[in-house]
Amino acid sequence: MELSQDELPLIESDVENIDTLRVLHAAGLVEVRFSSVDADVQTAQVLFITGLGAATLRACGGATAHVPRAVLSESECDLEPSFD
């Protein structure tokens, strides 16, 4: 599943993906509503990709490219302006 291609909002229940969403949310790339920490089943509702998240997607290969969830947190994306 890829956030850039998924219809939002979506509900995520995979623990590893929820951890990734916590990182992306903390970085300001996505808006997510997390279930309570004492809930029987942990879920995350991805509401939308923020403007910064959309800019990150474009910097990593374009808005139409298939960008896996984890790529937003990797350092291979060049978000710094080039002065060359």
Side-chain angles (χ1 to χ4, degrees):
M1 196 162 23
E2 300 173 2
L3 284 179
S4 64
Q5 303 299 316
D6 292 338
E7 187 172 329
L8 301 177
L10 68 86
I11 304 291
E12 181 61 62
S13 58
D14 181 87
V15 176
E16 287 184 24
N17 288 338
I18 292 173
D19 288 343
T20 300
L21 287 168
R22 289 185 194 285
V23 172
L24 296 175
H25 176 73
L29 301 175
V30 293
E31 187 60 36
V32 182
R33 184 177 304 142
F34 297 99
S35 62
S36 173
V37 293
D38 59 352
D40 292 335
V41 177
Q42 293 295 305
T43 61
Q45 181 181 24
V46 183
L47 303 172
F48 59 89
I49 298 172
T50 66
L52 178 59
T56 302
L57 283 169
R58 286 190 300 275
C60 293
T64 60
H66 288 274
V67 181
R69 292 173 184 217
V71 80
L72 294 178
S73 62
E74 292 176 1
S75 60
E76 67 187 24
C77 298
D78 181 14
L79 296 178
E80 295 295 319
S82 175
F83 297 106
D84 295 337

